[in-house]
Amino acid sequence: MKKATAEQQQVHAERKSSDHRTASKDQYPISETRFWIQRLSKTGVRALHILGIAGSAGGILYGVERELWLNWWVLAMVTGVILMTLEISRSKLWLIQLKGVLTLVKLMLLGSFFIIPQHKPMLFITVLLMSVFIAHGPAGLRHYSIWHRRRIDEKQGKKKR
């Protein structure tokens, strides 16, 4: 009798494991290959974005001729728009979460380069510091909703990848 019970427990454990794998596939409906392609693509765009920021930083901070750093600036802005578009298409909540709201604030600060050009270096430093605090801050800070006044996360079943 004990032997039969052990076999039944093993069969039950195998079914449970199989059900768990099926649930995981349903929860994450994309293939592992597609996941890696998307992940590496986003990382590549982010790397180009940081390269554009670094390339334009010297020109902005030290008042170097615009022609010397303009292409880096364009790279930073284009890749920034791509990253924003990816975030918004993944979740509309991004627009009311602190990570999205502060990204829009950073864009306004960058736009103020034209209004108050004498303050470009200080505005640029402010944008960089905001970027670091949001990118590397805790999830409770990044996902804080200014609308709901609390942390808002995407529901598990509704994530897009």
Side-chain angles (χ1 to χ4, degrees):
M1 180 128 183
K2 289 181 182 178
K3 189 175 184 181
T5 304
E7 288 175 6
Q8 288 174 345
Q9 287 176 344
Q10 184 179 1
V11 168
H12 179 68
E14 287 174 2
R15 281 187 190 150
K16 194 174 183 180
S17 176
S18 174
D19 291 345
H20 178 63
R21 283 191 298 262
T22 304
S24 293
K25 287 181 182 178
D26 292 342
Q27 187 176 3
Y28 304 104
I30 64 171
S31 70
E32 188 173 347
T33 303
R34 185 170 174 195
F35 167 80
W36 280 104
I37 290 170
Q38 287 178 353
R39 182 72 180 252
L40 292 174
S41 298
K42 189 173 178 182
T43 301
V45 172
R46 186 174 288 119
L48 289 173
H49 183 65
I50 292 170
L51 182 63
I53 292 167
S56 61
I60 294 167
L61 292 174
Y62 298 109
V64 177
E65 293 177 36
R66 193 173 123 176
E67 293 76 31
L68 295 174
W69 56 269
L70 186 60
N71 289 336
W72 295 109
W73 179 255
V74 170
L75 177 64
M77 293 301 106
V78 168
T79 53
V81 167
I82 292 169
L83 290 169
M84 273 182 51
T85 303
L86 289 171
E87 289 295 333
I88 294 168
S89 68
R90 190 175 141 263
S91 172
K92 304 291 186 263
L93 289 176
W94 184 86
L95 292 166
I96 60 170
Q97 290 173 323
L98 210 50
K99 58 186 177 178
V101 171
L102 289 182
T103 299
L104 298 174
V105 169
K106 290 187 309 184
L107 283 174
M108 290 188 323
L109 290 172
L110 293 173
S112 67
F113 278 18
F114 300 105
I115 301 168
I116 46 175
Q118 67 275 20
H119 295 293
K120 265 188 207 178
M122 203 42 118
L123 292 167
F124 189 75
I125 290 169
T126 302
V127 168
L128 284 177
L129 291 174
M130 287 173 63
S131 299
V132 171
F133 278 99
I134 285 300
H136 299 286
L141 177 68
R142 291 190 317 271
H143 298 172
Y144 180 82
S145 166
I146 61 164
W147 183 263
H148 299 91
R149 304 235 184 259
R150 63 183 170 87
R151 178 179 171 162
I152 300 289
D153 291 308
E154 192 73 34
K155 290 181 181 165
Q156 288 290 28
K158 296 204 175 197
K159 275 189 177 176
K160 293 181 186 176
R161 293 204 181 226

